[in-house]
Amino acid sequence: MDAAGPVSAPGPVVPRLLPCGPGAWLVEVDGPQEAAGLATHLRTRLGAGLREVVPGATSVLVETAPGGPRGRGLGPEALGRVVDDWAPAAAGSQQAPAVVVPVTYDGEDLPVLAEAWGCTVAEVVRRHTAASFVSVFCGFAPGFAYLAGEDGSWPVSVPRLASPRPRVPAGSVALAGGWCGVYPTASPGGWRLLGRTDVVLFDAGADRPALLAPGTRVRFVDAAQERGGDGRA
Amino acid sequence: MTAVPDALVVEAVAGPVLVQDDGRPGWAHLGVPRSGAADTASAGLARRLVGAPDGSALLEVVLGGLTGRLESPRGRWIAVTGAPAPLRVEGRAAPHATAVWCPAGARVSLGVPATGLRSYLALGHGLAVSPGLGSGLGAVLGSASTDTMSGLGPAPVRPGDQLPLAAGQGSPAPAAGLLPLGHDWPVPSVRRGSLRLHPGPRSSWARGASGEDALGALTAGVWEVGAASDRVGVRLHGADGAVLVPTGTQELPSEGVVLGAVQVPPSGQPVVFLADHPTTGGYPVVAVVDPADLPALAQARPGERVTFTRAPR
């Protein structure tokens, strides 16, 4: 932990259950990593009783499966008890290996970012490859993950483009707000482009269709340096 | 080896014609929309009428205009439900929401319905769907639904397409005794009554122009279906110009949204999410339409008027 970092909040806030129509609730939590953690907890504990468990930036949407045991769906009391059982993991406790995404840093917005941050393009790349990210939630498109810096390793906020580009190529690595994301397919997009990757973000036929499913840790590496570094073509 | 065709060969398409089944629930956390038939009630009825399996693939036809030929060694039971598009089999008029025998080689056509928006054409045993490469329509995450937002699933149906039919066991039977004889099966419609609203997670994030809460404003108003409505969502405009007013300037962190969510964008004109809705959103969801009332909304044409009532607790 960074000794100069903020003092951690005194005790977790009790998550709130907000109604979302019959059989669905939104559970509010403190932040992105708590959302991913609670989503995992709920899946583990309630698996078959739930139709959807959808983490958001600071929340988890829980949709119960219709029917369920003895034709009765999961009620808010039972859900509340399982939520209460959950304790946010201490920061830095996630030890799963990170997915490594090689990036060709040639994005159109690199010079703009360098100017905004008062540094060189090389320094923008260095900062991005030095940070460790975690996938908090997916949205916008299948397999599009909103990646947040772990433990304050990405203290950056980037404004979106005022008007989105009509077409951002598949594999584009981009920034908006405090988030980093990789476009799984070509689409319109208003995020700032850092570069591109060849990794497949979404494969509907795979056992795990999304490479960066919520909770997945992610690190970016400079593809040019990788090639130079280990002699591969 | 010459395969005997067993398919509906599409000859003409006017508006959008999409393959739909029960969609892809359970994948929202990966950003995969649910998709599936927009009017699940009419789709389910069409399947039951022809004896096709629950959740099997059928055609969702917007405002009629589909013509095709049954290229098959045998006939099939077919049924059209939802928007009452006039059905003709080999030129002969056939009743709505009824199992109709379609002989092998016969031409099937759906005219333009007088009311409603989406018709469902089910064929006995359903359309053939196969995971990955195969003779059927390719399933993506277990579903052959065309998702108009994410692009998952088969492309919209075009003239020349051969829509393969499932083989099934024996001759699919129409659902005898499902409906009382002479029963006029109701087409889901917003004219039949107000849609029931449940409170949403952000019910306090918007108010009516005169200060009433969001549910109060939604239930007090008369709302018109906007022209930009689609399978993603029904865009509503206050018939008297009414809008909802966001209560704060606070930005909402993106959160998961449910089918039927009533979202209030900065314009104040609510959007009700249908089958192809985004899995997460950053505008407040102030209310949720009861799932049982969504088929009626999915059948509402642009310009039709919608009213809401509070769902009983």
Side-chain angles (χ1 to χ4, degrees), chain A residues 145-206:
Chain A
Y146 288 72
L147 309 173
E150 276 189 301
D151 308 327
S153 73
W154 187 247
V156 166
S157 189
V158 176
R160 274 162 215 258
L161 292 175
S163 55
R165 292 185 171 94
R167 190 174 181 281
V168 171
S172 293
V173 179
L175 304 176
W179 303 104
C180 178
V182 189
Y183 287 80
T185 50
S187 70
W191 291 33
R192 306 277 179 165
L193 305 181
L194 288 179
R196 61 204 155 77
T197 181
D198 293 333
V199 302
V200 174
L201 277 299
F202 188 79
D203 175 3

Side-chain angles (χ1 to χ4, degrees), chain A residues 16 18-22 24 26 28 43 51-59 61 63 137-144 146 202 204 209-210 213-214, chain B residues 24-34 140-141 147 149-150 152 198-202 253-259 278-280 288-291:
Chain A
R16 278 205 297 158
L18 304 173
C20 290
L26 192 75
E28 285 190 308
R43 268 186 200 286
R51 177 156 60 185
E52 302 279 10
V53 179
V54 189
T58 58
S59 64
L61 172 69
E63 210 177 304
F137 66 98
C138 290
F140 176 66
F144 185 99
Y146 288 72
F202 188 79
Chain B
R24 307 180 178 86
W27 297 100
H29 61 293
L30 301 185
V32 176
R34 168 182 329 226
V140 177
L141 297 173
D147 181 343
M149 195 179 71
S150 76
L152 296 182
H198 301 268
R202 306 294 173 189
S254 285
E255 57 193 25
V257 288
V258 295
L259 185 69
T279 56
T280 58
V288 177
V289 175
D290 194 281

Side-chain angles (χ1 to χ4, degrees), chain B residues 133-302:
Chain B
L133 296 172
S135 56
L137 295 155
V140 177
L141 297 173
S143 164
S145 285
T146 300
D147 181 343
T148 58
M149 195 179 71
S150 76
L152 296 182
V157 171
R158 284 169 307 214
D161 283 358
Q162 300 201 12
L163 303 170
L165 301 173
Q169 289 292 312
S171 180
L178 177 74
L179 305 175
L181 212 59
H183 180 88
D184 179 19
W185 190 267
V187 177
S189 168
V190 291
R191 296 177 201 182
R192 289 179 185 275
S194 298
L195 309 183
R196 288 161 292 181
L197 279 184
H198 301 268
R202 306 294 173 189
S203 53
S204 65
W205 283 56
R207 307 188 78 80
S210 34
E212 67 274 42
D213 67 15
L215 249 70
L218 284 165
T219 53
V222 175
W223 303 89
E224 217 168 81
V225 173
S229 301
D230 55 19
R231 283 178 47 86
V232 174
V234 173
R235 286 157 199 283
L236 298 174
H237 309 283
D240 54 358
V243 293
L244 294 182
V245 183
T247 48
T249 52
Q250 213 181 337
E251 202 172 314
L252 184 68
S254 285
E255 57 193 25
V257 288
V258 295
L259 185 69
V262 183
Q263 196 190 54
V264 180
S267 70
Q269 294 175 328
V271 180
V272 185
F273 280 148
L274 295 186
D276 293 351
H277 72 84
T279 56
T280 58
Y283 298 133
V285 170
V286 297
V288 177
V289 175
D290 194 281
D293 292 346
L294 286 173
L297 193 58
Q299 291 294 356
R301 293 183 176 190

